[in-house]
Amino acid sequence: MKVLVVGGGAAGMMAAYGAASCGHEVVLLERNEKLGKKVYITGKGRCNLTNAGSIGEFYAQIVHNPKFMYSAFNAWDNADMIRLVESSGCPVKIERGNRAFPVSDHASDVIRAISGQLKSLGVKVLLGTFVTGLEKSDGRVTGVITNDGRRLFADWVILACGGASYPSTGSDGNGYELAVRAGHEVISPRPSLVPLISPEAWVHELAGLSLKNVTASLYRNGRQAVSEFGEMLFTHEGLSGPIILSLSSRYEKGDEVRIDLKPALDVRTLDERLQRDFRDNSNKDFDNSLDRLLPKSLIPVIVDRSGIDPHKKVHQVTSEERMAIVSVLKSLAVEVTDVAGFGEAIITGGGVNVKEVDPSTMSSRIVEGLKFAGEMLDVDALTGGYNLQIAWSTGYLAGAGIGW
């Protein structure tokens, strides 16, 4: 059969690989001047290509529609992906959190490995080719229309156009328009794995301050909705860093972020720690007594939030005031008004409603001859290589599942 794959990112390259591996004639259409343009910038250019944890662990990291991925992970999992790139001359190393990277730390080596496989399988790649429409006949998708007016026909069309994040790489949401025109529902795309916006001046003043080994939580209607432990960063716009990006996947309007600056210490232990520091600094002003406990730039914020006179002598601080300090240290509240835009988002949440896609083949349930893969689908995960594996797995299954 002849297969047209629209989009030369992670999912599209693997869809082409899967179809060509099964003996199909494959043409891969990419609007950019090279394949894998977004893959080049993943992992800060190092390409966190997958996660080496168990597939069971993957499901816990998928925020929306994890069950949809059962067949895709069964068809092509993280071990398959690592074997593929290593057999193509790109050795892989495993780092903290089971994150898998090329030994070279160059995303280009991962793309080169997959491109080499496509070439050896005879996949025809058309760069600089932008698909503007789908050809349909008798209720079946039969091909695509390109921006220069060409009509390309095939037995199957696989849409792997990406989401709407990093639009400069070509992921500008065009694929969603094609899906809607084919009759599909698209769950409203939203930026995900993205910084959070805060209007608070003190947050902006701390721009550049990184905190390690803290817990950040989303509070919704006064209750904790989700929390993440690790590293975060204050910026000129709000909050960023690994744990903040993960929280953004579950952020809802009205949520508040609360930061536990000392998650390893319970309230009693933290109070005891404060008492020791206060004994050593008993004649100092309160605002000069916290330098062992906190980064210097953060001290004025904690002092202000505690409500204690900064010039009060430490030996005059009451036990009730001390508990107020502990309360702030364990739950520093940050007002958040929104997430940053698609230009800063690592991935896109939302996408083609997975109820309208057969999870065992990635085929449309709405129209024959059409498949979906990757970020176009309403499936997204937390950081750590999971989203790229979703792309590799759904792409492979979409291609290899032709004729099933």
Side-chain angles (χ1 to χ4, degrees):
M1 293 187 182
K2 185 171 182 178
V3 180
L4 294 175
V5 180
V6 183
M13 288 190 290
M14 282 309 297
Y17 172 80
S21 295
C22 295
H24 300 298
E25 179 188 349
V26 181
V27 178
L28 178 56
L29 312 174
E30 167 55 45
R31 67 189 296 180
N32 290 306
E33 73 286 356
K34 61 185 178 183
L35 296 177
K37 194 165 183 179
K38 187 176 176 182
V39 178
Y40 273 100
I41 61 176
T42 61
K44 297 180 180 178
R46 297 176 60 218
C47 188
N48 180 191
L49 70 134
T50 189
N51 191 285
S54 70
I55 287 300
E57 294 168 344
F58 268 68
Y59 295 113
Q61 300 299 315
I62 298 176
V63 179
H64 297 101
N65 301 309
K67 293 180 179 179
F68 179 79
M69 291 299 300
Y70 287 163
S71 294
F73 285 154
N74 187 59
W76 187 263
D77 63 14
N78 48 356
D80 293 318
M81 195 62 211
I82 291 172
R83 276 195 299 269
L84 177 68
V85 297
E86 288 197 323
S87 67
S88 306
C90 178
V92 172
K93 60 183 176 179
I94 309 302
E95 297 188 358
R96 178 180 54 86
N98 280 324
R99 290 167 164 83
F101 293 89
V103 169
S104 65
D105 285 332
H106 292 143
S108 56
D109 290 338
V110 175
I111 298 165
R112 188 177 299 111
I114 301 171
S115 297
Q117 289 285 343
L118 299 182
K119 185 176 181 181
S120 67
L121 289 168
V123 173
K124 184 178 180 180
V125 178
L126 299 181
L127 299 174
T129 304
F130 179 44
V131 171
T132 57
L134 298 175
E135 287 280 2
K136 291 175 68 176
S137 178
D138 297 326
R140 182 182 180 90
V141 171
T142 57
V144 302
I145 305 167
T146 65
N147 57 327
D148 57 5
R150 282 181 293 167
R151 283 173 160 75
L152 307 178
F153 296 93
D155 299 292
W156 285 91
V157 172
I158 302 175
L159 292 182
C161 311
S165 57
Y166 290 122
S168 62
T169 64
S171 297
D172 59 1
N174 173 68
Y176 298 136
E177 296 179 21
L178 297 176
V180 169
R181 278 187 258 153
H184 276 271
E185 177 191 11
V186 171
I187 308 301
S188 295
R190 60 191 179 279
S192 191
L193 299 183
V194 65
L196 296 176
I197 304 299
S198 173
E200 302 210 49
W202 67 266
V203 171
H204 306 162
E205 290 167 3
L206 291 176
L209 174 63
S210 176
L211 300 178
K212 296 182 178 180
N213 301 319
V214 299
T215 296
S217 305
L218 286 180
Y219 273 75
R220 190 169 300 145
N221 300 320
R223 294 186 178 184
Q224 186 183 90
V226 63
S227 65
E228 295 285 341
F229 172 81
E231 185 175 347
M232 62 166 288
L233 175 72
F234 291 94
T235 73
H236 290 292
E237 292 186 331
L239 306 174
S240 190
I243 62 176
I244 298 299
L245 299 186
S246 291
L247 289 183
S248 74
S249 295
R250 298 183 173 99
Y251 171 80
E252 295 181 8
K253 283 283 190 181
D255 286 356
E256 178 184 65
V257 171
R258 298 185 192 176
I259 306 166
D260 184 346
L261 296 166
K262 300 293 175 181
L265 305 178
D266 61 21
V267 169
R268 179 179 176 180
T269 306
L270 182 54
D271 182 40
E272 292 171 349
R273 164 68 191 277
L274 265 180
Q275 291 182 61
R276 288 197 302 272
D277 286 358
F278 280 7
R279 282 194 296 269
D280 294 340
N281 297 282
S282 61
N283 292 317
K284 287 186 176 181
D285 289 352
F286 170 50
D287 63 355
N288 289 324
S289 66
L290 300 175
D291 54 322
R292 293 182 189 173
L293 196 63
L294 296 166
K296 184 177 180 179
S297 59
L298 189 57
I299 292 174
V301 175
I302 302 304
V303 170
D304 179 67
R305 290 295 183 93
S306 74
I308 302 170
D309 181 352
H311 301 299
K312 188 172 188 175
K313 296 300 180 182
V314 168
H315 67 268
Q316 296 177 327
V317 174
T318 67
S319 59
E320 289 80 8
E321 289 174 325
R322 201 175 59 246
M323 290 309 297
I325 302 166
V326 170
S327 178
V328 175
L329 292 172
K330 296 294 288 180
S331 187
L332 177 61
V334 183
E335 181 186 357
V336 174
T337 53
D338 206 347
V339 299
F342 282 113
E344 297 181 62
I346 295 176
I347 62 164
T348 304
V352 174
N353 190 336
V354 296
K355 293 180 181 179
E356 300 174 350
V357 180
D358 183 346
S360 64
T361 61
M362 298 294 134
S363 298
S364 166
R365 297 184 190 272
I366 304 296
V367 59
E368 293 182 2
L370 182 65
K371 289 172 174 272
F372 299 99
E375 209 170 340
M376 285 200 63
L377 295 161
D378 183 23
V379 183
D380 61 280
L382 304 181
T383 57
Y386 302 105
N387 287 290
L388 263 181
Q389 186 60 50
I390 289 171
W392 307 130
S393 295
T394 56
Y396 177 83
L397 181 55
I402 288 174
W404 291 7

